[in-house]
Amino acid sequence: MQRRMIYNGVFLDDPKELLQWWIAQGFFMPKGAEVKCHHMTRAFKPKGEEQNLPYGDKTKVKVVGVAYTPQIGTVVVECSTPSRNRVKHITVWVDGIPPSKSNDLLEEGYQEVSGPTLSGRVGYFDGEMVRTD
């Protein structure tokens, strides 16, 4: 069966858990920022083998780093799901720029932290909804 995939990866079971941790740590986030906090991308527009993941499987992601500017905040994560990105991460929020800019930010480095371990499920976004089938 051919699936339409905009991107695939690990989707957090409770994105609010990550946002609450970010706020509790006192990390910067401007008023009016667009909250993301929902997934770690394996591949944007996955092709071939990049589409082959164990969809529906439960997994864990461990927050091990943070980076932010006045326009974007992101966390670095460790997890068993592979990623096309050089640094596995979850974009927490953006303010006027696309979430993909997290990749550029992380190329400059990040602060190591001992953050929470979050639960998620392997899935993909089909343009309308997150699917785990």
Side-chain angles (χ1 to χ4, degrees), residues 12-29:
L12 296 180
D13 291 336
D14 185 1
K16 290 179 191 168
E17 191 177 359
L18 177 56
L19 180 61
Q20 290 168 347
W21 174 82
W22 182 276
I23 292 168
Q25 300 307 301
F27 297 130
F28 177 77
M29 188 169 90

Side-chain angles (χ1 to χ4, degrees), residues 31-127:
K31 286 188 178 197
E34 182 182 350
V35 174
K36 296 298 182 181
C37 277
H38 45 78
H39 74 280
M40 187 278 307
T41 303
R42 190 283 196 240
F44 180 73
K45 295 184 180 177
K47 296 184 181 2
E49 289 297 313
E50 291 177 331
Q51 291 184 352
N52 296 336
L53 288 176
Y55 295 108
D57 280 8
K58 290 185 174 219
T59 191
K60 300 284 186 184
V61 294
K62 169 78 173 147
V63 175
V64 298
V66 298
Y68 52 88
T69 70
Q71 293 83 35
I72 194 165
T74 188
V75 295
V76 177
V77 298
E78 291 178 347
C79 70
S80 61
T81 302
S83 178
R84 186 190 298 165
N85 295 318
R86 193 177 73 72
V87 180
K88 294 179 186 182
H89 66 277
I90 299 172
T91 301
V92 178
W93 58 267
V94 294
D95 191 18
I97 63 174
S100 61
K101 292 295 182 184
S102 286
N103 291 304
D104 298 335
L105 174 61
L106 292 169
E107 287 298 321
E108 298 172 18
Y110 58 89
Q111 172 189 348
E112 291 183 10
V113 298
S114 180
T117 298
L118 307 167
S119 61
R121 194 172 291 270
V122 178
Y124 63 96
F125 180 67
D126 69 5

